[in-house]
Amino acid sequence: MIGIIDYGMGNLHSVSKALERLNLPYFLSENTDELNKADGLILPGVGSFHDAMGLLKEKGQETFIKTWAADGRPLLGICLGMQLLFEGSEENGETEGLGFLPGYAKLFPGKTKEGTAYKVPHMGWNKLTFQQPQHLLLQDTEEGHVYFVHSYVIDTEDKDVLIATSDYYGEVPAVVGRGRVLGTQFHPEKSSTLGMKLLENFGRMVAEGRNTDE
């Protein structure tokens, strides 16, 4: 059973509908005692990093999620939820994140080194390039296009956490993870066959109790 963390800033409806289409059992809750009964968790998110961390703290979910991950239990962050897995963000001032993965969310510059302006946010379909094609989350998939909507991008020097990347005037960490802490910058539930397959693979990992290091 997958628990979807409701902290007030998640794209709960679209994620729920995607799990329903995949016949993956799930429930929504903000209650940490209820969420603790799940076999795997999804941390969705849209909006401000600063506000999201504030709500997680306010609801007691930050400590719960940290304990969950420390116990090696499966966790998938989506969009803002993925960024929350990292050390912090410069959005609305420096804000500390959950700290599972090394790196920080930084605003797209909106201009190349040569001075050419480009659109922010990064919005629309963009292609994934697999960095770890044998990863369980990418099982039975091929490189293809997925749907992004974000103004901040993760900057990390640790390439080992990059499972797949995209390119938008520079490298975009698109699928990240270490152990059972995983994340997608794009919205898998809005990313057609490829995105749905990633959700299905996460569901299989949860059901089978598999470790990504296997």
Side-chain angles (χ1 to χ4, degrees):
M1 179 76 73
I2 295 173
I4 302 176
I5 303 171
D6 180 3
Y7 60 101
M9 293 184 63
N11 45 320
L12 303 179
H13 180 74
S14 59
V15 174
S16 300
K17 288 299 182 184
L19 297 184
E20 286 179 13
R21 290 197 297 272
L22 292 168
N23 294 315
L24 292 174
Y26 77 94
F27 65 94
L28 297 168
S29 182
E30 65 175 16
N31 184 285
T32 55
D33 289 334
E34 291 180 1
L35 290 167
N36 197 44
K37 298 174 184 177
D39 301 300
L41 292 179
I42 291 179
L43 178 64
V46 291
S48 161
F49 191 108
H50 177 82
D51 292 348
M53 283 304 304
L55 287 169
L56 290 177
K57 291 176 186 291
E58 178 184 315
K59 295 175 180 294
Q61 295 167 339
E62 179 193 25
T63 300
F64 165 73
I65 294 169
K66 287 183 174 179
T67 301
W68 176 280
D71 289 341
R73 304 173 75 181
L75 172 65
L76 176 67
I78 294 176
C79 196
L80 173 61
M82 184 204 92
Q83 295 186 2
L84 295 173
L85 303 178
F86 286 82
E87 294 172 277
S89 172
E90 66 177 20
E91 184 176 5
N92 295 331
E94 293 289 333
T95 301
E96 184 177 337
L98 294 168
F100 303 136
L101 303 174
Y104 291 85
K106 298 183 177 181
L107 183 66
F108 278 109
K111 185 179 292 187
T112 67
K113 293 179 181 179
E114 294 73 30
T116 302
Y118 61 86
K119 182 180 178 181
V120 178
H122 171 209
M123 182 167 61
W125 295 85
N126 207 342
K127 187 177 181 180
L128 291 185
T129 299
F130 292 171
Q131 305 299 327
Q132 300 181 38
Q134 303 305 315
H135 196 281
L136 286 175
L137 203 60
L138 302 181
Q139 191 171 26
D140 300 322
T141 65
E142 296 181 357
E143 294 180 348
H145 288 73
V146 292
Y147 189 77
F148 292 87
V149 183
H150 62 121
S151 297
Y152 287 76
V153 61
I154 291 297
D155 179 20
T156 180
E157 295 182 1
D158 189 345
K159 302 304 180 184
D160 290 340
V161 303
L162 302 181
I163 298 169
T165 58
S166 190
D167 181 79
Y168 190 68
Y169 300 95
E171 184 178 72
V172 174
V175 184
V176 300
R178 175 169 287 154
R180 292 187 176 185
V181 174
L182 304 163
T184 66
Q185 179 63 75
F186 57 91
H187 289 274
E189 77 282 5
K190 298 180 180 180
S191 296
S192 190
T193 304
L194 177 54
M196 292 294 283
K197 186 62 180 175
L198 264 65
L199 284 177
E200 182 181 354
N201 285 342
F202 178 71
R204 183 182 298 116
M205 288 164 52
V206 170
E208 296 178 355
R210 298 181 69 182
N211 195 313
T212 58
D213 296 328
E214 293 176 0

